Amino acid sequence: LFIAEGNYLFPHARISVFSVKGEFLTCFSHQEMREPHGVAIHGDNLYVTDTGVHSIFHFKIATDFPLIAKRGSFGQQIGKFNSPRNLAVSNNGDVYVTEYYNHRVQIFDSSLLHPRSLTQQLIDHPQDIKLTADEVYVLCDDNRCVHVFSHAGERLRSLISRGLQMQVTFPIYFCLDSAENIIISDYFTDRIKIFTKAGNLITTLGEGGHLPGMFHYPRGLALTKELSLVVVSWNENFCLQIFSCL
């Protein structure tokens, strides 16, 4: 498990590495990192967005995690960023990046070159992104919506059902299970909420608090290969919790 740490409250910009059981293994950083935010892995490639320097860092997964490249800077042109948030990597190695204030998703090759926009339509404050073989899921926090696109940029559907809008207050991270159910961390309700791919609420996990099984401002989440759910929240100055298979 690779977790990005560091922002204006905790200025120790680094990537921490844990086992799937939650055991701390190591951490690493780079002198140019300021506010690492999103992490994605493809083979032995590790990509990290940094909202502080409006860039993407490309590391090799090895003993000392050497930097391969740093791409991007502040701006509105294609290839530049304004608060890059999260990213995902396709099966062929293309890197998809959400940009919060430029309202778009950019796509790069595996070397973070040859950028292009997923679609010419504006995407309202995109936070997180996940990929399937055929589709691109983009979570937006302003309208509490998950937009689904083809990889060619065609908007296929938007999950703006009453259940999703009324029962999620501030979604910022999500993941997909094998059935493409949508698992969302709802920051202000201190809960994890699970929806069908059609946007209907299935169940909620947790409640507000600092005890095991509770959340205080849940943030990042992911599913392991064993389908255990990993959730990072602010409990006791950041807490990593792992839940049994869903």
Side-chain angles (χ1 to χ4, degrees):
L1 303 174
F2 291 80
I3 297 178
E5 297 183 66
N7 56 31
Y8 64 95
L9 294 176
F10 302 96
H12 55 276
R14 68 184 185 186
I15 306 299
S16 293
V17 186
F18 295 83
S19 73
V20 293
K21 295 182 179 180
E23 302 161 328
F24 176 77
L25 300 177
T26 188
C27 64
F28 68 96
S29 185
H30 187 274
Q31 61 185 6
E32 294 186 59
M33 290 176 63
R34 293 295 179 269
E35 296 182 27
H37 190 94
V39 177
I41 297 170
H42 187 258
D44 60 355
N45 296 294
L46 175 68
Y47 302 95
V48 180
T49 57
D50 192 308
T51 60
V53 295
H54 307 283
S55 300
I56 303 176
F57 291 82
H58 180 191
F59 298 95
K60 182 178 178 61
I61 299 178
T63 303
D64 55 350
F65 295 95
L67 179 69
I68 297 175
K70 170 180 171 285
R71 307 289 189 198
S73 59
F74 178 78
Q76 294 183 335
Q77 303 95 325
I78 293 295
K80 294 184 179 293
F81 302 106
N82 188 350
S83 193
R85 294 298 172 95
N86 288 293
L87 67 175
V89 186
S90 68
N91 291 335
N92 67 1
D94 285 344
V95 182
Y96 291 61
V97 185
T98 59
E99 279 189 88
Y100 194 74
Y101 291 116
N102 278 337
H103 304 286
R104 66 187 178 193
V105 172
Q106 289 196 69
I107 306 172
F108 299 79
D109 66 18
S110 59
S111 298
L112 300 179
L113 299 173
H114 306 108
R116 65 189 190 276
S117 182
L118 172 65
T119 174
Q120 297 304 310
Q121 306 171 50
L122 291 180
I123 304 174
D124 193 11
H125 292 105
Q127 280 276 16
D128 202 0
I129 185 168
K130 295 294 181 288
L131 308 178
T132 68
D134 301 315
E135 296 179 332
V136 181
Y137 287 72
V138 181
L139 172 66
C140 303
D141 65 17
D142 270 13
N143 55 18
R144 300 186 292 278
C145 177
V146 175
H147 297 295
V148 185
F149 299 86
S150 70
H151 285 273
E154 177 187 1
R155 190 183 297 237
L156 303 176
R157 59 191 181 277
S158 296
L159 306 180
I160 321 178
S161 67
R162 180 176 176 83
L164 188 59
Q165 284 195 315
M166 296 300 291
Q167 296 178 67
V168 177
T169 59
F170 189 55
I172 52 176
Y173 292 90
F174 79 109
C175 59
L176 302 174
D177 68 12
S178 57
E180 295 184 24
N181 292 319
I182 303 165
I183 306 169
I184 292 177
S185 61
D186 194 5
Y187 192 74
F188 286 140
T189 65
D190 298 321
R191 283 165 174 78
I192 304 301
K193 300 181 178 180
I194 305 176
F195 297 84
T196 66
K197 64 185 299 182
N200 300 312
L201 181 67
I202 299 173
T203 189
T204 64
L205 302 177
E207 58 182 308
H210 295 276
L211 298 176
M214 296 180 174
F215 305 112
H216 182 62
Y217 297 148
R219 294 179 62 83
L221 74 171
L223 284 174
T224 67
K225 292 180 179 180
E226 295 77 20
L227 297 183
S228 293
L229 180 65
V230 180
V231 182
V232 177
S233 64
W234 287 81
N235 300 48
E236 302 296 331
N237 297 323
F238 288 113
C239 172
L240 186 154
Q241 297 189 70
I242 301 176
F243 297 82
S244 57
C245 298
L246 297 176

